[in-house]
Each structure stands twice: as C-alpha cells, then as structure tokens.
C-alpha cells in the first residue's frame, strides 16, 4: 500500500507540474541534464541561404504581429498586472478627485458601495484562484479536512 501511495503522489506531482507548465507558457523549459541538446538546422554552416529581400519584409511584419499577439495573450492571462504606458502624451482626467467634484455621499450609498466593493473583491479572488490552480486552497479552520 505504501508503494501504491507513493506512486499516486508522484503522479499527482507530475500532473501539477504539467498544469503549471500549461498555464504559464512564458516560463520556458529548464533542464539540468547535459546529455539533452537541440540542433539548430537553420544557423549551421551547411544550411542553404534562403532569405530573399521580398520575403524579409513580410517575415518582419509577421514577427511583429506575433509579438503583439503574445503581448495581448500575456495581458489576457494575467489581468492582475495592470496597464502601463511609456508615452508621455497619454493621460487621463480624474473626475472624482478634482476640486469641483461634489463630496456628498449618503449613508445608504456608502453601505451599498461597501457591499459592492466586497463582492468585487470576492469575485477577483475567485478569478485569481481559477486562473492559478497551482496555488492551492488555504484554510485556518481546524474543523475542515478532506479525505
């Protein structure tokens, strides 16, 4: 029974690693085995030169589009990162903290706002748990357990 349990735990660890690799393709592959290697058939000395000027521009466009798609995919898979801009001409106006903004908020509105923000925080936590299954579940209640 101990061997079977060890085998099941090893399979579960391997499945967890596969799920993590699937959810994070940007991490890459790491190896410590010196016998593993890959051969580059495109940069070897005997490789025929096939780049033509008319295809080089098209290839550059395709690679630029692929880089933009990768950036978009990373932004989609990691919404917690946020948006950053390097252009100094981009700006936004904050309509809520300007001097002419009204500061009046009733007690009911404040309670409703607090309830909505709490629900939004719970939804954000649920979305993060869904997008990162490798994190696991944490609890502080000693009465909770699983078999």
């Amino acid at each position: 029974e101990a061997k079977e349990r060890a085998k099941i735990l090893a399979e579960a660890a391997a499945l967890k690693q596969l799920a993590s690799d699937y959810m994070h393709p940007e991490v890459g592959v790491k190896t410590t085995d010196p016998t593993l290697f890959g051969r580059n058939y495109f940069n070897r000395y005997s490789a025929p030169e096939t780049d033509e000027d008319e295809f080089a521009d098209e290839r550059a466009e395709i690679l630029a589009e692929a880089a933009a798609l990768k950036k978009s995919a990373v932004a989609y898979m990691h919404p917690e990162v946020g948006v950053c801009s390097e252009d100094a001409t981009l700006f936004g106006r904050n309509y809520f903290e300007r001097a002419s903004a009204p500061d009046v908020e009733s007690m009911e509105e404040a309670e409703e706002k607090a309830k909505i923000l709490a629900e939004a925080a719970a939804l954000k936590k649920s979305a993060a748990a869904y997008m990162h299954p490798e994190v696991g579940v944490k609890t502080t209640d000693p009465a909770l357990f699983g078999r």
Side-chain angles (χ1 to χ4, degrees), residues 84-140:
C84 60
S85 175
E86 298 170 359
D87 191 0
T89 61
L90 297 177
F91 60 90
R93 183 171 179 191
N94 190 346
Y95 290 97
F96 302 104
E97 294 180 5
R98 66 185 196 278
S100 62
D103 287 336
V104 181
E105 186 176 86
S106 68
M107 191 62 152
E108 296 94 21
E109 289 175 344
E111 290 174 357
E112 183 76 20
K113 183 179 178 181
K115 189 187 300 184
I116 290 171
L117 288 175
E119 289 176 0
L123 283 173
K124 181 180 178 183
K125 185 177 178 183
S126 176
Y130 177 78
M131 291 302 291
H132 297 284
E134 70 273 7
V135 172
V137 179
K138 298 178 182 95
T139 181
T140 57

Side-chain angles (χ1 to χ4, degrees), residues 75-87:
Y76 178 78
M77 290 297 289
H78 298 286
E80 69 273 6
V81 172
V83 179
C84 60
S85 175
E86 298 170 359
D87 191 0

Side-chain angles (χ1 to χ4, degrees), residues 56-67:
D57 294 335
E58 187 175 345
R59 179 177 293 126
E61 286 181 26
I62 291 171
L63 289 175
E65 288 177 4

Side-chain angles (χ1 to χ4, degrees), residues 21 26 39 44 46 64 71 75 80 87-90 92 99 102 126 141:
D21 292 342
E26 71 272 7
R39 183 172 180 186
R44 68 184 196 277
S46 62
K71 185 177 179 182
E80 69 273 6
D87 191 0
T89 61
L90 297 177
S126 176
D141 190 359

